[in-house]
Amino acid sequence: MTVSRRSFLAGSAGVALTLGMPARAETERLVAGKGVRQLLPDAYPATSLWTYDGSSPGPVLRFRQGDRLRRRFENALDQSSTIHWHGLRLPNEMDGVPGVTQDTVPPGGTFDYAFDLPDAGTYWYHPHDRSWEQVGRGLSGALIVEEPEPPEVDFDEVLLVQDWRLTENGEIAEDFGSLHDRSHAGRIGNWLTANGLAAVERRVGRHARLRVRVINAASARILRIGGEGVNAVIVALDGQPLRSPEPLTAPVPLGPGARADLIVDVTAEGGEAAFLYHLERDGGVPLLDLTVDGDARTSRLGPVAPLAPNAWPDLALGDARAVDLRMEGGAMGGLSHATLGGETLSLRELAARGKVWAFNGAVDMHERPLAEVRAGETLRIRMVNDSAWPHAMHLHGHHFRQIGEDGTAGALRDTALVAPDGRAEIAFVAERPGDWLLHCHMLGHAASGMMTRVRVV
């Protein structure tokens, strides 16, 4: 397998960029604004983008399990915005969805976010107002909640992966909202970065052990994470520990919004290649480039132990109510008409309004939620992808388990990747009252119709 950056714009790895560093404990402001960064190699101009606290990705916010997050969001953009704390279990009014959980924050406005962090894991934050544009302009950042007793590793590395659509002069392409993108796979870029770099470079010794937290912050691209010159196991998905670590024997798919925690042992000899990469059709694109120099220790460390689980309520599958969710529309789909705002429109009429997707025959959020459930009740959602494109279905404020054909419950996730013409059933215990968004995290798909909600009472 060839690891190469040639899948994207010409240039070499190793671009200078101010990285998001761990936020200081006393920092309580998080400012969305505009900035300039050298995303492409030095032969290209710098890129104008949108930042949190002056950097893209934004500062890595690190906490300990049980801490309280307090941030005053300040909007220095000329667009309204909010912050959604992706994957976190939090009060509904802190979820950051304009028109559902809070009012949008206008230019020059502020909003105070404050909530406890009960679950250790890897999470991230991003806008939920025009997210299909604002995420594509650079607004995203990692949020790490550390365990009381983290695993013993030599490095704890965060890789926040962003997908950029750049012009030949290094600027972000202004074709946001393209109907072609929305009706196909979404806005796929032509330049991939990890922490704003062509690849994160580290010098390590053989037998070093790393914890690598991969966050897919792309607007639409599905990542496929593999390794070379390393022995890696998956210990957590979407922030939640697996019951048993799973060897990374084939690239693991991560839909937009999804995360994977890996424990990586460096097996390459000095001078040999060691990478974590995203697999494209024509080769691998390195995200973490390890230069092996000497030995970190004389022999490889022992087996990787599971992470301590977070406390989640048990599913009551036998008594669970089930609802159906059919995904319809898009290019080469069979959608002929759907309702929008109570009006039945043809696909041509919907497309004229920038809408090409529907859930259960309805575009955007219907006046009625997909389901209304009591706190403590288990809900099953049977999803059918009646379209030619994959969808990364993200549930706010909760984690679910995917139910297999044999009825067994899988790992805790907050984002499920549903293949074209595929099916997936998820089940979760409703917890905190409020309306919780369920949408496709291909952000253009959500903007063009793929949004609904679950109401917890």
Side-chain angles (χ1 to χ4, degrees), residues 153-154 204-212 225-235 245-250 261-269 272-277 288 290 292 297 299-305:
V153 295
D154 298 306
V204 298
R206 184 172 178 241
H207 302 310
R209 174 167 285 183
L210 293 73
R211 179 177 186 166
V212 183
I225 304 300
E228 182 176 319
V230 299
N231 186 285
V233 296
I234 307 168
V235 293
E246 297 180 359
L248 186 68
T249 55
D261 285 44
L262 309 175
I263 299 295
V264 177
D265 289 329
V266 178
T267 58
E269 303 277 354
E272 293 181 343
F275 298 99
L276 285 182
Y277 58 82
L288 179 61
L290 302 173
V292 183
R297 50 187 55 85
S299 62
R300 183 177 162 187
L301 293 173
V304 175

Side-chain angles (χ1 to χ4, degrees), residues 42-226:
D42 290 341
Y44 290 85
T47 301
S48 299
L49 42 71
W50 293 3
T51 67
Y52 286 121
D53 286 359
S55 67
S56 178
V60 178
L61 305 182
R62 283 191 178 267
F63 301 88
R64 301 285 285 181
Q65 188 172 11
D67 283 354
R68 187 167 179 81
L69 179 150
R70 294 183 179 87
R71 286 295 182 276
R72 169 162 289 181
F73 171 57
E74 299 182 9
N75 185 5
L77 300 168
D78 52 13
Q79 272 186 19
S80 296
S81 192
T82 64
I83 295 181
H84 169 57
W85 310 93
H86 187 115
L88 292 176
R89 211 166 11 168
L90 74 181
N92 186 257
E93 63 271 17
M94 295 287 106
D95 196 41
V97 182
V100 178
T101 69
Q102 69 169 89
D103 293 332
T104 192
V105 181
T110 65
F111 187 90
D112 289 342
Y113 293 97
F115 49 88
D116 295 331
L117 299 166
D119 303 314
T122 300
Y123 309 98
W124 65 298
Y125 59 94
H126 63 82
H128 226 290
D129 192 342
R130 293 177 64 92
S131 56
W132 47 273
E133 176 183 0
Q134 294 186 11
V135 171
R137 292 190 184 277
L139 287 178
S140 61
L143 192 156
I144 307 301
V145 183
E146 297 176 346
E147 304 90 348
E149 297 182 8
E152 183 179 350
V153 295
D154 298 306
F155 299 98
D156 186 327
E157 190 75 57
V158 177
L159 298 181
L160 188 141
V161 182
Q162 293 163 291
D163 184 29
W164 308 89
R165 182 178 291 182
L166 303 177
T167 66
E168 291 184 357
N169 64 0
E171 290 301 317
I172 293 174
E174 293 292 337
D175 56 348
F176 289 101
S178 157
L179 194 62
H180 180 275
D181 287 344
R182 290 186 173 192
S183 61
H184 290 72
R187 182 182 169 90
I188 305 296
N190 53 7
W191 185 252
L192 207 65
T193 60
N195 299 350
L197 297 168
V200 173
E201 299 178 354
R202 291 286 180 266
R203 185 175 296 274
V204 298
R206 184 172 178 241
H207 302 310
R209 174 167 285 183
L210 293 73
R211 179 177 186 166
V212 183
R213 306 171 186 261
V214 184
I215 301 169
N216 186 354
S219 297
R221 183 182 294 277
I222 298 170
L223 297 180
R224 293 172 177 84
I225 304 300

Side-chain angles (χ1 to χ4, degrees), residues 183-452:
S183 61
H184 290 72
R187 182 182 169 90
I188 305 296
N190 53 7
W191 185 252
L192 207 65
T193 60
N195 299 350
L197 297 168
V200 173
E201 299 178 354
R202 291 286 180 266
R203 185 175 296 274
V204 298
R206 184 172 178 241
H207 302 310
R209 174 167 285 183
L210 293 73
R211 179 177 186 166
V212 183
R213 306 171 186 261
V214 184
I215 301 169
N216 186 354
S219 297
R221 183 182 294 277
I222 298 170
L223 297 180
R224 293 172 177 84
I225 304 300
E228 182 176 319
V230 299
N231 186 285
V233 296
I234 307 168
V235 293
L237 290 169
D238 292 351
Q240 304 310 308
L242 302 182
R243 295 186 181 99
S244 299
E246 297 180 359
L248 186 68
T249 55
V252 58
L254 293 179
R259 290 89 64 213
D261 285 44
L262 309 175
I263 299 295
V264 177
D265 289 329
V266 178
T267 58
E269 303 277 354
E272 293 181 343
F275 298 99
L276 285 182
Y277 58 82
H278 159 58
L279 183 64
E280 282 286 315
R281 285 175 294 183
D282 54 355
V285 180
L287 303 173
L288 179 61
D289 185 351
L290 302 173
T291 299
V292 183
D293 184 9
D295 291 340
R297 50 187 55 85
T298 57
S299 62
R300 183 177 162 187
L301 293 173
V304 175
L307 301 177
N310 295 307
W312 290 88
D314 294 329
L315 298 174
L317 292 177
D319 301 325
R321 182 158 54 97
V323 296
D324 295 323
L325 180 68
R326 182 174 294 274
M327 311 169 199
E328 306 164 292
M332 297 175 286
L335 184 68
S336 61
H337 63 275
T339 61
L340 175 62
E343 183 182 4
T344 300
L345 301 173
S346 69
L347 182 59
R348 182 183 296 273
E349 291 171 319
L350 290 168
R353 304 185 189 192
K355 305 294 182 179
V356 290
W357 296 98
F359 285 154
N360 294 344
V363 176
D364 289 344
M365 281 191 287
H366 196 272
E367 61 182 9
R368 294 190 303 273
L370 176 69
E372 183 172 292
V373 296
R374 301 183 310 275
E377 182 181 350
T378 298
L379 180 68
R380 301 174 75 145
I381 302 178
R382 298 178 297 219
M383 298 185 290
V384 176
N385 183 358
D386 191 16
S387 84
W389 305 96
H391 301 293
M393 294 299 297
H394 173 53
L395 176 64
H396 284 216
H398 297 76
H399 276 66
F400 52 76
R401 296 188 187 274
Q402 191 161 333
I403 308 302
E405 293 183 1
D406 60 358
T408 58
L412 282 164
R413 302 296 301 268
D414 60 44
T415 305
L417 193 58
V418 188
D421 298 316
R423 297 171 179 266
E425 182 175 353
I426 64 173
F428 66 97
V429 178
E431 293 194 89
R432 304 189 186 202
D435 281 5
W436 297 99
L437 211 62
L438 174 62
H439 67 98
C440 178
H441 221 278
M442 279 73 170
L443 297 174
H445 291 178
S448 52
M450 300 191 79
M451 287 197 295
T452 186

